[in-house]
Amino acid sequence: MSVPLPATAVVRVLASFPLCHMTEEDLIQNPQFCKLLATLAQHVDQTGLTAPLKTELDKAEKKLQIQKLQWLRSESLHRGLQEMIQNHCVRKHHVTVPPDQNMFYETMERCLLVAQCVRQLDPSNTTNQDQPSVLGLTPQLVMELMPSEKNVQRMKQGLPRQLEKHLKEKCLSLLSYYQPEWENESEGLKMTKLSYLSAQLDKEKKRAESLKETCRENTVLLQRQTELYLTELTKCIQLLQSFILNHRLKIQTDLDRKKLDYFEGKCELILQKIKAEMVEIQLDTYTPDSISAHRKIREKLESELKTCKAEKQSVELKLASFEILGKDFEALAEEYCRLRQEIEMKNWALKEFTQYND
């Protein structure tokens, strides 16, 4: 027999492998597997990585973060310069711009275009060096389109100041959008509040992510509650249908019983009329008028007999549909037998009357 594992060992193994879908019962039922996991936990972390591999992964992630940061800086700078050029193009269509500013932005735009083309034409280390060039162009040919060195140097001297001004306007615009009530504040107060804007936006972002996660959890919970509600509602509807069916069967039984009582009384009246007519026939003489009256009586009796037979057939069909009622059906069957006997007796009376009339 295998020695049962202590509860602390099982809990420690579960804590060492949180990504594995295991329960305490699984480990208790498989003690050897639990011991293997306990030994393995000494060499790997909770994600399943060994210490050397974890170190290499951390280094690679740090390197990737540095490269991402560098790319974001260059991309932000490039987009900022493009926005400055676009704003200048829009502004010069509305107001008169000094020639030196036109020269500054034209030089900057041409430098950006040349740098972009050179980057597209210059293959990286991962591409084939012998690939055909675009339209026969080379980076050296494109570099010849650069502005004069004098204009480039002048543009570089004024670029930090213009870029700082553009970024400041953009930040103040963002601050006014985030808090419109701060728009009328002084520039110094705006700059002070702008220094806290990054932390506030980060806080708002985390809060939005938390609310989004809460919303997702509430959506899942709502779906489960909706399924449960629909299940319970279906059960209630089925129960209500059962109650309605039982009530309808009970009411239908009472109606059929009343119909049988009605037919019984009607048959008794017809029988009494037959007896009375037979007595009158015995007292009458066989005159043409009496024969004609006898025929009329016979036709009337036959018509009433057909009506009774049709009603009897209808009741028989309804009685057949209520055989599932058990004891209630037995009572109805007794009524049906009694009614049938009375109808047979009336048929006999009509037959006797016909023979007597003939």
Side-chain angles (χ1 to χ4, degrees):
M1 294 180 60
S2 60
V3 180
L5 295 172
T8 55
V10 174
V11 174
R12 189 163 53 251
V13 169
L14 289 176
S16 300
F17 298 94
L19 301 180
C20 298
H21 300 286
M22 296 183 298
T23 62
E24 294 185 8
E25 185 179 355
D26 296 334
L27 297 178
I28 292 174
Q29 293 179 355
N30 301 276
Q32 297 299 327
F33 180 66
C34 182
K35 291 180 180 179
L36 176 61
L37 292 179
T39 305
L40 186 62
Q42 300 176 3
H43 304 280
V44 298
D45 60 2
Q46 293 184 350
T47 60
L49 297 176
T50 61
L53 185 59
K54 179 65 175 176
T55 303
E56 294 179 3
L57 180 61
D58 292 339
K59 291 181 179 179
E61 288 180 351
K62 290 180 181 179
K63 185 177 180 181
L64 179 61
Q65 290 295 331
I66 293 174
Q67 292 180 354
K68 281 185 177 180
L69 183 59
Q70 292 177 352
W71 180 86
L72 287 174
R73 287 176 178 175
S74 60
E75 183 67 16
S76 300
L77 179 60
H78 184 262
R79 292 189 180 185
L81 296 177
Q82 286 183 332
E83 290 176 359
M84 291 172 61
I85 295 172
Q86 291 175 358
N87 294 338
H88 172 72
C89 293
V90 173
R91 187 168 59 252
K92 72 180 182 179
H93 288 290
H94 295 83
V95 296
T96 303
V97 181
D100 56 341
Q101 287 190 9
N102 280 329
M103 180 61 66
F104 173 82
Y105 286 103
E106 289 177 1
T107 303
M108 183 172 61
E109 183 179 10
R110 179 172 293 186
C111 290
L112 289 177
L113 290 175
V114 170
Q116 186 177 1
C117 292
V118 169
R119 185 173 55 184
Q120 294 292 333
L121 293 173
D122 190 12
S124 63
N125 296 329
T126 59
T127 58
N128 186 7
Q129 298 289 339
D130 297 332
Q131 64 180 0
S133 59
V134 179
L135 300 177
L137 296 175
T138 61
Q140 292 76 16
L141 292 175
V142 176
M143 288 295 294
E144 295 178 358
L145 300 176
M146 285 285 290
S148 63
E149 185 67 22
K150 181 179 178 181
N151 292 336
V152 173
Q153 292 298 328
R154 186 179 301 173
M155 183 268 297
K156 288 182 179 180
Q157 291 177 0
L159 181 59
R161 183 177 64 257
Q162 295 293 334
L163 182 61
E164 182 181 359
K165 180 181 177 181
H166 172 74
L167 294 177
K168 182 179 178 180
E169 293 176 355
K170 191 172 182 180
C171 291
L172 292 177
S173 176
L174 178 61
L175 180 64
S176 300
Y177 175 80
Y178 179 69
Q179 292 292 343
E181 62 273 13
W182 294 349
E183 188 172 1
N184 297 326
E185 300 289 345
S186 63
E187 184 175 352
L189 185 58
K190 285 183 179 179
M191 296 303 297
T192 303
K193 293 182 177 180
L194 187 61
S195 61
Y196 299 100
L197 183 60
S198 177
Q200 292 179 354
L201 291 177
D202 186 60
K203 183 179 179 181
E204 290 291 335
K205 180 181 178 181
K206 292 180 180 179
R207 179 173 174 271
E209 291 176 352
S210 177
L211 291 176
K212 185 177 180 180
E213 183 65 25
T214 303
C215 182
R216 187 182 297 109
E217 294 176 356
N218 292 336
T219 302
V220 175
L221 180 60
L222 180 60
Q223 291 177 350
R224 293 178 181 175
Q225 291 179 348
T226 303
E227 293 177 358
L228 181 61
Y229 170 75
L230 293 177
T231 302
E232 295 297 329
L233 184 61
T234 303
K235 293 180 181 179
C236 292
I237 292 175
Q238 293 176 352
L239 185 61
L240 182 60
Q241 289 177 345
S242 177
F243 288 157
I244 293 174
L245 181 59
N246 294 335
H247 179 71
R248 184 181 298 171
L249 291 175
K250 183 178 179 181
I251 295 299
Q252 190 66 35
T253 304
D254 296 337
L255 292 176
D256 290 342
R257 186 178 294 109
K258 291 179 180 179
K259 285 184 179 181
L260 288 175
D261 295 338
Y262 167 75
F263 292 149
E264 179 183 357
K266 189 173 182 180
C267 289
E268 290 180 355
L269 290 176
I270 294 174
L271 183 60
Q272 291 177 1
K273 289 176 66 176
I274 292 175
K275 291 180 179 179
E277 295 293 339
M278 290 179 66
V279 172
E280 292 179 1
I281 291 172
Q282 292 177 357
L283 296 176
D284 292 341
T285 58
Y286 289 98
T287 62
D289 293 336
S290 63
I291 293 173
S292 176
H294 294 164
R295 288 178 179 176
K296 290 181 179 180
I297 293 172
R298 179 178 179 181
E299 292 175 356
K300 182 178 180 181
L301 292 175
E302 288 178 349
S303 177
E304 292 180 353
L305 182 60
K306 290 180 180 179
T307 303
C308 289
K309 287 182 177 180
E311 292 176 349
K312 170 192 170 187
Q313 185 177 5
S314 176
V315 172
E316 286 177 346
L317 293 175
K318 290 186 176 181
L319 285 174
S321 64
F322 286 94
E323 290 181 354
I324 60 174
L325 296 178
K327 295 182 179 179
D328 294 336
F329 177 74
E330 292 179 1
L332 293 176
E334 292 178 358
E335 293 291 335
Y336 168 74
C337 293
R338 185 175 60 81
L339 181 61
R340 185 172 181 178
Q341 290 176 358
E342 292 181 359
I343 293 175
E344 290 178 354
M345 183 178 64
K346 293 176 178 59
N347 287 333
W348 173 81
L350 181 62
K351 183 179 180 180
E352 292 294 328
F353 171 76
T354 303
Q355 292 178 355
Y356 179 78
N357 188 22
D358 293 340

